[in-house]
């Protein structure tokens, strides 16, 4: 099938982009557990108690190397590398997320945004086992870009 291959490609691109943004590769030994309580809490809050919070920590490692002061050339900020405009949209639904620079709120906003993207892919009837991968690809490359690729792949493969 084309969908798993596309999802894997998108996640690989996201990881490479994250390494490029931080300027160095990350080793598992370099991962801090300092923010694990935030990843656990907000994964449970936005995805439910049975969801593995480590997906979001891995995303943050790829995005920023878990560096709370990380900034990309395009302006993305914090551990989850959220664009300020995206953060403002998130704040409209979550006014309690007070500061994009605070690791707690940055992580909460990033996982919230992952949930919104996950729901968009659910409406496109992407199989449940692939939705998170499409959400991660959309988080990094933009929903519209991934949607265009998805539609092209569906058209090419006759689905």
């Amino acid at each position: 099938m084309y969908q798993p291959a596309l999802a894997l490609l998108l996640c690989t691109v996201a990881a490479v982009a994250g390494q490029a943004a931080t300027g160095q590769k990350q080793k598992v030994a370099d991962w801090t557990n300092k923010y694990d309580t935030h990843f656990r809490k907000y994964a449970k809050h936005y995805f439910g108690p049975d969801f593995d919070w480590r997906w979001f920590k891995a995303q943050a490692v790829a995005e920023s190397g878990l560096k709370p002061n990380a900034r990309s050339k395009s302006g993305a900020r914090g551990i989850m590398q959220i664009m300020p405009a995206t953060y403002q949209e998130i704040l409209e639904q979550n006014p309690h997320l007070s500061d994009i620079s605070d690791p707690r709120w940055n992580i909460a906003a990033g996982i919230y945004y992952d949930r919104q993207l996950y729901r968009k892919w659910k409406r496109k009837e992407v199989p449940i086992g692939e939705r998170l991968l499409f959400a991660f690809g959309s988080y990094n490359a933009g929903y519209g870009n991934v949607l265009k690729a998805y539609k092209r792949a569906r058209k090419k493969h006759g689905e």
Side-chain angles (χ1 to χ4, degrees):
M1 293 285 297
Y2 66 91
Q3 290 175 344
L6 176 62
L8 181 59
L9 174 64
L10 293 170
C11 288
T12 302
V13 168
V16 170
Q19 289 177 2
T22 62
Q24 61 187 14
K25 291 185 178 182
Q26 293 292 307
K27 299 175 191 152
V28 173
D30 295 338
W31 294 13
T32 180
N33 62 2
K34 183 176 182 178
Y35 307 110
D36 287 2
T37 54
H38 300 315
F39 288 110
R40 282 185 185 103
K41 178 179 181 174
Y42 294 107
K44 181 179 179 179
H45 182 74
Y46 293 118
F47 281 84
D50 296 329
F51 200 88
D52 188 351
W53 59 274
R54 291 174 194 89
W55 279 102
F56 304 109
K57 183 175 183 176
Q59 178 186 20
V61 168
E63 291 286 345
S64 72
L66 295 175
K67 292 179 176 57
N69 298 323
R71 285 187 185 240
S72 73
K73 292 176 187 173
S74 62
R77 297 178 54 194
I79 290 173
M80 298 298 284
Q81 287 294 280
I82 300 173
M83 294 296 289
T86 302
Y87 195 77
Q88 289 304 312
E89 291 174 22
I90 292 167
L91 280 177
E92 290 175 14
Q93 298 296 317
N94 301 277
H96 63 281
L97 304 179
S98 60
D99 184 5
I100 193 172
S101 300
D102 183 317
R104 175 184 180 186
W105 302 128
N106 191 278
I107 291 166
I111 296 173
Y112 172 83
Y113 189 54
D114 281 326
R115 179 64 182 172
Q116 299 312 304
L117 293 168
Y118 184 89
R119 287 179 173 163
K120 284 183 178 186
W121 288 109
K122 182 178 181 180
R123 287 191 296 267
K124 296 293 178 195
E125 298 182 11
V126 170
I128 193 166
E130 297 172 14
R131 282 183 206 145
L132 186 64
L133 302 176
F134 275 88
F136 284 153
S138 299
Y139 188 104
N140 192 271
Y143 176 74
N145 292 328
V146 177
L147 182 59
K148 276 193 273 183
Y150 175 75
K151 286 179 178 179
R152 258 186 255 136
R154 285 185 61 116
K155 185 177 178 182
K156 182 177 180 178
H157 294 281
E159 294 192 28

